[in-house]
Amino acid sequence: MANVIVIGAQWGDEGKGKITDLLSRSADVVVRYQGGANAGHTIVAQGQTLKLHLIPSGILYPETECIIGSGTVIDPKILIEELDRLEALEIPTDHLLISETAHITMPYHRLIDRASEEQRGTHRIGTTGRGIGPTYADKSERTGIRVVDLIDPVVLAKKLRWTIAYKNQILEKLYNLPPLDADAIVAEYQGYADRLRPHVVDCSLRIYEAIQARRNILFEGAQGTLLDLDHGTYPYVTSSNPVAGGACIGAGIGPTMIDRVIGVAKAYTTRVGEGPFPTEIDGDLGEHLCDRGAEFGTTTGRKRRCGWFDAVIGRYAVRINGMDCLAITKLDVLDDLDEIRVCVAYEIEGQRCHHFPSDAHRFAQCRPVYETLPGWKQSTTGCRTLDDLPRKALDYLKFLAELMEVPIAIVSLGASRDQTIIVEDPIHGPKRALLSSNGVEESGMSSLTR
Ligand code: GDP
Ligand code: IMO
Ligand code: MG
């Protein structure tokens, strides 16, 4: 029995969907613990490409319970569209469960998200426009509508009427938008409730009972460490906690129930939306990575900004998440480069800096210090073991593992399940040890670093 958290170690889109799908093979329960329809997780299996926003990436395994946890925000319209798409493909969905304490994204959340971005002008965050920030803001302000409210027609009508009257004032007076029709929205959401009601459960209790029955639980993060509300590149972040610590709150379990944290990082870096990005590559090379990596947002279709691997944020992600091992994805995207750069430190005001600065202003001033490695100029997409990899690709991976001080357990070389090298068992294999038994600090060890 092992309970593992899978998190994004960069700014999202690291390939969490592919890795979660792979690991779900040995999971009894998969829990999405935060975020909402801003996420876009891609799974390529049996020649089919699935793009999931709210449904956990374990859904292809009919025996695996998939739970949308308490820490998420659910747009029921998008969730039902997703269910319909899966059902049209004859993929069973009755093993999908929804936490009764997750919050519901409403039409006013989407409108306020887009209108506030417009008003921010050059200060915009570059959100997905899916109403995520406003839904979480209502949760904190204690005016949110939860799944339990949605599925009770009397409570829903009462709460929505009051909330819509309040939100209409904001829409009209602050954003100059027409008011919303409360009756129409109540009717629309009661329809969604009827469809979703059979899936609703007490998520925390369900997970606790699964743990007591010694079942394997996988907690699936959305977004990434640098988009974390508390620990990311604030204010250019999302409004939830994608970091591993968020899994306990978002699932309703205690930290003692977690056995392992697996990070997912691309062999380079991407970012969608605004905000500083020290290793961003401008010009032809950036375009080349974007084309080869098909770096267009799964949710919004926006072009992702591309850059070199940043080991400073990598190390930060190892620390903030207590990461035990790492999956490196999209190594194949680097196949035809002459040389590859890795950011090993930053320079700020002439000083070397090895730690991620939490001050956004300072972070924007960071200049990357690079080390350059030779490219391998050879296709890796058909490699299935470390021995199949070109020597220089292996050297690149070793360099990353040593810099981040974490074992690399998985290497991904293409979007489909089989395009993967399992270096070590990511769930039961060696993990990162902070202190050895004699109290001496150890670095990450794996067959890539030994
Ligand atoms: P997520 O949000 O972290 O789940 O990642 P996305 O699905 O948004 O973006 C990752 C993209 O890269 C998807 O289109 C995947 O199908 C694709 N992908 C995942 N792993 C690999 C890989 O190793 N190589 C290549 N070329 N594509 C990959
Ligand atoms: P997955 O799970 C990449 C980014 C947006 C924006 C910021 C805030 O697929 O990795 P939001 O709509 O959340 O208020 O936007 O966060 N963002 C993502 N970037 N992958 C994601 O999810 C993202 N979800 C949000 O682009 O910069
Ligand atoms: Mg994505």
Side-chain angles (χ1 to χ4, degrees):
M1 202 266 315
N3 301 324
V4 303
I5 303 174
V6 174
I7 55 97
Q10 296 160 322
W11 275 283
D13 302 325
E14 297 91 346
K16 299 176 294 294
K18 169 176 170 166
I19 302 301
T20 302
D21 165 67
L22 262 184
L23 300 178
S24 294
R25 205 179 312 165
S26 50
D28 300 302
V29 184
V30 178
V31 188
R32 243 299 284 282
Y33 60 84
Q34 46 67 234
N38 49 350
H41 299 168
T42 317
I43 304 173
V44 180
Q46 285 136 21
Q48 255 177 4
T49 301
L50 277 184
K51 292 182 189 297
L52 301 170
H53 301 290
L54 283 158
I55 294 178
S57 302
I59 196 71
L60 292 184
Y61 300 87
E63 306 299 318
T64 302
E65 227 167 56
C66 288
I67 307 183
I68 303 180
S70 314
T72 62
V73 290
I74 300 174
D75 186 325
K77 186 167 183 281
I78 293 178
L79 176 56
I80 290 168
E81 282 168 9
E82 228 170 299
L83 283 169
D84 288 344
R85 266 200 306 279
L86 292 175
E87 283 164 18
L89 294 168
E90 295 183 2
I91 297 169
T93 57
D94 49 1
H95 55 301
L96 176 78
L97 302 173
I98 303 169
S99 165
E100 53 193 10
T101 49
H103 278 247
I104 301 291
T105 296
M106 290 286 169
Y108 45 81
H109 292 133
R110 287 191 296 266
L111 288 169
I112 291 173
D113 188 2
R114 288 169 199 167
S116 70
E117 279 282 274
E118 225 173 281
Q119 282 208 351
R120 280 171 197 258
T122 54
H123 297 287
R124 71 182 175 276
I125 290 159
T127 72
T128 58
R130 294 288 181 107
I132 305 301
T135 314
Y136 279 113
D138 277 6
K139 175 178 174 173
S140 297
E141 202 201 357
R142 292 150 295 173
T143 51
I145 309 278
R146 305 200 295 177
V147 171
V148 267
D149 307 322
L150 177 77
I151 59 173
D152 182 325
V154 177
V155 175
L156 180 70
K158 197 171 148 202
K159 278 202 166 184
L160 260 186
R161 288 216 165 80
W162 180 86
T163 312
I164 291 172
Y166 170 56
K167 295 291 174 186
N168 275 345
Q169 296 203 41
I170 296 171
L171 290 172
E172 289 183 86
K173 292 181 187 155
L174 197 60
Y175 298 116
N176 212 13
L177 288 170
L180 293 169
D181 175 348
D183 289 339
I185 294 174
V186 169
E188 181 188 345
Y189 277 70
Q190 274 173 350
Y192 299 148
D194 291 341
R195 173 79 186 271
L196 297 178
R197 196 173 285 109
H199 297 274
V200 176
V201 293
D202 178 332
C203 153
S204 161
L205 180 62
R206 192 91 180 191
I207 298 169
Y208 189 69
E209 286 174 350
I211 292 172
Q212 282 188 315
R214 307 193 69 74
R215 301 174 81 202
N216 299 308
I217 326 276
L218 192 158
F219 299 90
E220 178 188 23
Q223 289 80 50
T225 303
L226 276 296
L227 287 174
D228 186 275
L229 180 60
D230 291 87
H231 303 288
T233 47
Y234 192 88
Y236 300 102
V237 292
T238 191
S239 299
S240 66
N241 291 111
V243 297
C248 290
I249 296 171
I253 57 150
T256 48
M257 294 174 194
I258 303 297
D259 298 298
R260 193 168 278 244
V261 178
I262 303 173
V264 185
K266 275 178 191 165
Y268 50 100
T269 313
T270 61
R271 173 161 209 181
V272 205
E274 306 299 319
F277 181 4
T279 63
E280 185 166 12
I281 309 171
D282 292 323
D284 290 349
L285 194 54
E287 293 289 323
H288 171 81
L289 280 184
C290 182
D291 287 347
R292 249 193 93 91
E295 296 296 359
F296 294 90
T298 313
T299 300
T300 58
R302 285 179 296 176
K303 200 169 168 176
R304 296 174 183 151
R305 300 155 68 192
C306 291
W308 298 114
F309 191 90
D310 184 336
V312 180
I313 67 159
R315 275 195 300 270
Y316 176 67
V318 169
R319 165 161 65 88
I320 278 286
N321 293 291
M323 198 190 296
D324 290 307
C325 65
L326 187 65
I328 290 283
T329 62
K330 302 191 99 160
L331 186 71
D332 56 296
V333 174
L334 306 180
D335 279 353
D336 60 358
L337 298 185
D338 292 327
E339 46 185 39
I340 302 167
R341 289 174 156 198
V342 176
C343 169
V344 295
Y346 298 142
E347 217 168 78
I348 314 176
E349 293 159 0
Q351 300 278 316
R352 275 282 163 105
C353 166
H354 292 272
H355 296 287
F356 167 73
S358 25
D359 172 350
H361 183 67
R362 259 173 82 73
F363 187 56
Q365 292 178 319
C366 286
R367 296 286 158 261
V369 177
Y370 286 121
E371 283 205 24
T372 305
L373 283 81
W376 43 93
K377 310 275 285 173
Q378 197 177 322
S379 172
T380 57
T381 53
C383 298
R384 295 294 174 266
T385 68
L386 285 186
D387 291 339
D388 297 339
L389 281 177
R391 183 72 237 171
K392 286 173 181 159
L394 201 58
D395 289 344
Y396 180 67
L397 291 172
K398 279 187 177 179
F399 188 62
L400 299 189
E402 277 162 12
L403 275 175
M404 289 175 69
E405 300 181 356
V406 73
I408 294 176
I410 300 176
V411 181
S412 170
L413 311 133
S416 66
R417 282 176 180 168
D418 63 315
Q419 292 177 301
T420 310
I421 300 174
I422 305 292
V423 183
E424 315 265 8
D425 177 346
I427 296 174
H428 303 101
K431 51 192 265 174
R432 181 176 190 263
L434 191 60
L435 292 174
S436 68
S437 49
N438 60 8
V440 178
E441 207 160 330
E442 280 183 351
S443 64
M445 297 284 281
S446 77
S447 54
L448 275 172
T449 48
R450 272 197 287 263

